[in-house]
Structure formats: C-alpha cells, structure tokens
Amino acid sequence: MPEPGPEPEPEPAPTLTPDFRNMVRALDAVNATTEGLDPVLRSGDPQALNDLLGKLRSAQDLPLPGPIQTAALEGLRALLLGISPAVGGTRQDMSAGRAHLGSVLGHLEAISGSLPPGLGDPVTLGRALEIGSRAMEAREAVDLPALHGLVAEAEALGAAVPEGDPLRFAVDGALGAAYGSLGAATRDRETLLRALPHFERAMDRAKESGLPFADELPATWTGDLGLIRAALAGEPATSVADHVPPPPDASMEDLYASTLSLGVRFGLGRDPVVLDVMIGELERLREGVREGRAPRIAADALWHLAEAYHLRGLLGKDSDPAPGADGGALEAAEEALTALAGDVLLQAGAEHGLLAARTGASRGVRAARMAVSYGRLHEAVGALELGRALVLQAASTSSAVPELLEAAGRQDLAEAWRAAAGGARDAGGTAGDGRGPGGAGEVPGLLPSTLRRQALDALGYRRDGGLLGTPTLGELADGIADAGADVLLYLVAGDDDGPGLVIAVGPRLGAGAGALPQLTDDEDGPLARYVEAAAARDRDQYDAAAARAWEDALEELCDWAFQALGPVLGGIEERLAADREGRDDEDRPLRVVLVPCGRLGIVPWHAARLPAEAAHERLCQVAVVSYAASGGQFLRTAARAPRDPVAAPVVVADPTMDLGFSDLEVTALRDAFYPHALLCGTLYGEELPPGTPDAVLGFLSDDTSVLHVVSHGSADTRPTVSALTLAADDECTPAPLTVTRLLDRKDQQDRPDGPLVVLSACQTDLSKGDHDEALTLTTAFAAAGARDVVGSRWLAQDSGSALLMAVFHHHLVVGGLSPVDALRAAQLWMLDPDRENPGSLRGDLLREMGRPGLERTAIWAAFIHQGHPGPGTTNTAETNTAEGTA
C-alpha cells in the first residue's frame, strides 16, 4: 500500500467582496419587504411597517453595483411610504412616497427592453401608476383642472397602448382612476359611471394577461362594482342573502370593504335586515379600531356605525327619535370625530392636516343635529367642536406638545418632535421622507408618523380630557362671562336633515338650542347668489357691471341675515333686558360671539339690515359682534391679556407700492397715534427695513403691541395658501405670507398675552373652500398668538379702508376702547351721515371724510373682529359716545 500522503489543505473560504455582502443585505431587505407587506397590512401595525422601511433604508444607503438595484430599492421604499397611511401613518409619508415615484419610473425605464418577450413595456406600467397616484392626490386637493388634465393624459396613454398589450390592464386602471377621481370630486354621476367599465376591464385583463403576478392582484380594486353601478343608476338592490360575510380572521380592510357593500345594498332597498347585518360587521370593526388595528379607516368606520345606529332608530319611528334614545349613535359619532381629530393632529403641518380634516365639519354638523334631536346639548356642542377648525386646533395643540412631553418625563420624544417639526417645515427637503436636512430621518429608526404617534400616545391624545378635549357648556359660559360678553351662538344652516339650527351658550341665559327656519344655504338662495356674484367680481375687479351685481347681492344678503338671525337675537335681548332692568348697564348693547358653520362664515352678520320700522338700520348699531372659528379657539384667544397699543407698535407698508392710499394710511397712523412705531416695507421718500414674512412672524413672537399691515391680501379655494403680499428678502419681488407659514412656523409658544393684529388688506377673513375649517389669515394670526385680529371679508375699497382704519385707531388709542368696540365705533361713524372729525384726521383723510357713499355696506362693513369680545379696561365717556352715534 502506498504511504498515506499529507492531509490535503482545506480550501480557503471564499472571500466575500463588499459588493457581494451589500447585495446579500439588499436581497434580505427586499425579501423582508415582499414577505412582510401582507402581514403588515392585515395587522395594521405601524411599527412593523417602520421596521421594513428601516431595512430598506439601510440597504439603500449601501454602495451597490449598478444603478438598477438601487433604483429598485428606491421603488420599494416609495411603495412602503405610499401605503403608510393604511397602517396609521401620515400623509407626510404618502407625499414622500409620491415624491419617490420618479425613482420608480427611472428604474422601469432602465430595464425597458431587457425583459423577456411577452411581458410588455414596463414604462407603460410606470406611467399608469403615476397617473393613478396623481389622480388620487388631485382628488384629495379637489384640484379640478389637474383632474381634467389627468383624464386627458390617461386617454392619450390608452390610445397609445394597443388593446392586446400584456400591461393594458394598468392603462385601464389609470383610466378608471382618472375618471373616478374626477367624478368623486365633482359628484357627477355620469363621470363615475364612465369609470366603472375601465375598472372592470382592468381586473379582467389582469387575470387574462398570464403575468406571474396576476394571481396576486386583489379580486377587486374598488369594491363591489355591480352594487356601485346599481347605486349610481338607481337599479334595484340584490338580497342580503347574496352577501357573504367575511371570515373571523378577515383583515380590517376586508371587513371594511364588506360593510361598504352592505351600505350600498341598504341605500338601494332600505331593508332593516341589511342594516342590522351591517351594524354587526361595523361592531366587529370597532373592536379592531379600539385595539389599534385599523387606524386608517377608524374615523370612517366609526362614522358609518353612528349613522347606522341613527338610521335604525329612525326606521322604527314615525317621528324624530325621543331624547335619550340614541341607540348608540352618539357614542359612535364621538368616537368617529375623536379619531378624525387625532388623524389631523397626527399630520405634520397644515397642508396635510387640511387633507385629513376635510370630512370633519360636515360630520360634526350631522352629529350635532343627531344630538339635538335626542335632547343632548352637551354632545351637540362637542360634535361641532370636534368637527370645526381642526387644523387650527391641531396647530395650537402641536406647538405645545414638546413642553407637555418634557413635563411627562419624555425628553427623548420632545427632542425628536422638535427635530421632525423642523424637517417638515424645511423648504429645502422633501417633507416626510426622512432624508432631507433636519428631517425626521435624524431620529434613528422612526418614520415621521411613528414618531408623532408615539409622542401623542404618550400624552393620551385620545383619552377623555386629553389633548383633544372639547370645551364644556360650563367652560364656554364662564369664558363668555370672563370676557364681558353675553352669549356665544353656533349657527348651523338648514339642509335636508332639518331647518337651520342655533345653539346658544351664555352665563345668564344658560344653554339652549332652537330652530331658525330662515337660516338656510339653498342652491338658489341669497347666500348662493352672493357667492356667485363675488366669484364673478374676483375674476375681473375692473368690471363695473360685476361690481354692481356683487354689491346688489351683498345688500340682499344683509337683508336675509337679519331675517335668519333676528328672531333669536330678539329673544336673547328681551331676556337679558329684563335681567338688567334698573342696573347701571341697563342700556348697554348686546355682546355676541358668533361661530357660523359652513358657508355662513362668509356672511357679514354685523351688517345685517333691520326691518324698516326698527329704530336702527344695522345689527352693529344695537349689538357688539365678534366672530370665532370655534368655541375652543374663542377660549384660547380671549384668555390672553391685552397689551398697551402704544407700547411697541409696528406698521408694515405695502411693498408693491400700488395701493394708492397705503402711504397715506401708514403715515397717518404714525403721525397721529404711534410716533415711535417701527415702520417696515416701502414708503416714498423713506428708507425702511423690509417687512418680510420672516419679519412679521418675528413680531408675533416678541413684545409687539400692535401689528398693522397694509398690503394686498388674497383668499384661495385652498385656504392654506391664502396669503398676505409682503416684501421678499431681496427687496425686489413680493413674497407671500401664507396661512400654512403662520400655522407651521418654528418656535411657537403660547404666551399669556398677545398683540392686536390689524390686516388692512383684501379678503383676510374669507374662506373660498373648506369653510368649516375656518382657515383664514385672521384665524391663523389668532392661532399664532394674537389676542385680537381685524380682517376683511371681501375686496376692500382702498381710500375707504384707510379712513376707517384711522378712525379705528383713534377710538383705540385716544378713546381707550377695546379693539372690538373701536372697530364698531369706526363703523358707526362711517354709517353716520353727519359724521365729524373725531379730532385726529388731517389732510387727504380729512377731505376723504366728506366723500359721498361711505355709508355703503361695501365700504364700511368689510372688516370684522376676532378675539376678546369684551370692553376695554378704560370705561370712558367715549364708549357712550360711540354707542350713541347709532
């Protein structure tokens, strides 16, 4: 036998190159994403989604060989961010996902032409996905021009891709998404019906394509299309026996889709059996919501449950439900509105908050009507508060979160919240992607939404008495008393559910609700005609015929305003007069704070015209009228202490220099009342610091006593972009100070006192859309820390506004009146045909005083007050003089 040789040397282990190791890690991240996505969606666990995103992020930051792999990871990242809201994430995440769509398209373009035959061109898939995503975004923003453009893009893509293309199903899906989004935004039945065949072809062709992932596609993308078609076309409903209930282990999303189908069935046949089945499935959903398993659909599902309980009560009665017999409707409605308010608070910034809040107001009004019908006034006010001004409330609450976290011993979350907020407001990065400078990506392992949810959960933001608490009737009554006012009135327009509704709260009156039959917002009523005339005037400010038509509509609106509101004011005045009989304040005017819901917020209620036989002509002559976005905002604003107006005034002049009376107004205020004022902006012959948006935001944070801004203002159909026109840093072009910048500014703090802000500009207290969000420049300044704000409801007349403002500041500084009384005194002075110089008018303004027509509603009534509704601390004879002028 041959001698055994030496043992062979073991072969060295293969050397793993860095590229290879990185590819292994990337593949692990991809596998985790593809395998873990379905469990994440079924469980609704935002932390699980965050873990998947963290793996992709770590792999994406590795150097990988070639661009295609990196682009693929970026595409998966966009997918995860895009579905984040499905598991309780924010719209910030979704926006970040949409921002990464370009990477997805780039990846598809890179692999185009390299796939096996029969799979189609992946660029077609990318373009279809992009159209669908943009359609959803435009529908959320109610951007009709964009939606019409997307329909055209989808049609062009459909014409370019042959019917037999393997990816034709994606094109059909894009067509369905474009038409469906346009139909949903316009509420046009024909457009919605046009979307359905595209969705049906998309599903059929996806299954017939033979593509490997065809079997993974959901059975339906939009619910039961047959039922949807039947509902749109008014066809008979199928029997509930045809309904297959979801299994016990069904996901929350599947269960929700089932309840929606049942809702369509019930709407078609009004069968109580269908309603009972739907309530049973919705109760299963509520269990999941309470366990935190369905955050995306929580508000909608709970609202459907509230309406279902209310409908069941109505079906069993011949009349309205009896008090106390709500059958669970009010509890579910409160849960739904609280969930919605929590969703708004969870968002990072006013823009995303507005998208989350859009259904809140109408549901708040509906829930309030339910509560009143059951005799539950406290719940009615709570519903209105939870449904109104959600973005304003979220901005005020969000600014206090870091301090509250520190007080709760969570310094880590407080610092992370501040860092994430800074990133969300940084214009240099993509808000919410976690990768921009100063963004939430500096907080390791956390999505922005995960961070915010952890912080808010730590503060119990959905518990009773937590961050989302609403004022009680007692708190509102006490706030009205402390402010020296008489009553706060919520005004709700009548609709198909019932007549107009007023809820009154006051320290002497108590609380009550009543019907106001004239308080309606009919399609062909005075308010609708005014809105149409105002839109025509806005389109061409130099059209004399449009201006006359608008002014006629305004006068008609003022006549209607008293017809609608007069009965309740008369009753209140009668009761209070009896209480005051024989007292020193027996003859003082009624002090009212109005919270008008919906488009009622457009109405100049203070200019309501009294009947011809009355002793006075306008409501402001017999009452002091202030406005508020909500009862909660009224309490926050009225609690601030006033500042001495002459202590540290700032006057900002129009940077465009095209307002004819801007210079005159600014110099008149300085010379007559504020000789030591800081002047900013542009004045002929004077070198001034620019009044930039940053400068104005700074004045809100310092000890400024009065901030008077003379500039252009504009209200947009998207209220977050309503803006004041101020100076840019380069002093060459104007720059906007938007509602969003006011609400999302850094370093917000709620001080115990606040300045008076006077916005001598057009449309600074006007909402053209999302009316119950009450998002205007006036309300934004109030939320940002002002104690009182004066703003305008329409395109103010230049010279008349300058004169009104001079008289307003005279009564404020010389007369010692509070801002609300000073504005009223100035308006009564304008109404007086025998008006005289109060003592401070000079030059051109004195000559302007004699100009005819100052008593026209369009001239004197444009400006309104928000803030503290009571008298000033100086109770001089000036008050009686101002009131006696009426």
Side-chain angles (χ1 to χ4, degrees), residues 535-705:
R537 186 195 183 201
D538 286 352
R539 286 192 292 270
D540 187 354
Q541 299 178 25
Y542 302 101
D543 185 337
R548 285 193 300 271
W550 167 79
E551 197 159 342
D552 290 343
L554 174 62
E555 297 299 343
E556 182 191 16
L557 186 67
C558 291
D559 289 335
W560 167 82
F562 189 79
Q563 295 167 16
L565 189 59
V568 68
L569 290 178
I572 290 171
E573 178 59 36
E574 187 175 330
R575 287 185 57 186
L576 291 179
D579 290 343
R580 291 198 299 260
E581 188 173 357
R583 291 171 27 180
D584 293 341
D585 63 349
E586 180 178 358
D587 296 326
R588 77 168 179 81
L590 182 70
R591 288 186 179 270
V592 183
V593 178
L594 297 179
V595 183
C597 300
R599 294 203 303 183
L600 298 179
I602 296 172
V603 179
W605 297 100
H606 58 287
R609 195 196 312 274
L610 278 62
E613 65 273 14
H616 299 285
E617 182 185 359
R618 302 287 182 153
L619 179 59
C620 65
Q621 293 172 311
V622 296
V624 182
V625 181
S626 184
Y627 297 83
S630 67
Q633 180 162 355
F634 157 72
L635 291 177
R636 286 189 294 272
T637 309
R640 297 175 185 136
R643 296 175 183 172
D644 181 358
V646 299
V650 175
V651 182
V652 180
D654 170 40
T656 66
M657 302 180 70
D658 61 6
L659 290 176
F661 278 74
S662 172
D663 279 22
L664 181 61
E665 182 175 336
V666 170
T667 54
L669 297 184
R670 176 189 60 185
D671 297 345
F673 312 113
Y674 307 114
H676 304 296
L678 170 63
L679 266 58
C680 301
T682 306
L683 281 181
Y684 283 107
E686 297 197 34
E687 188 94 12
L688 301 177
T692 64
D694 284 340
V696 170
L697 293 177
F699 299 141
L700 285 173
S701 301
D702 62 19
D703 295 321
T704 296
S705 57

Side-chain angles (χ1 to χ4, degrees), residues 384-401:
L384 289 174
E385 288 292 308
L386 282 171
R388 268 191 71 76
L390 293 178
V391 177
L392 293 171
Q393 178 179 330
S396 299
T397 304
S398 184
S399 65
V401 165

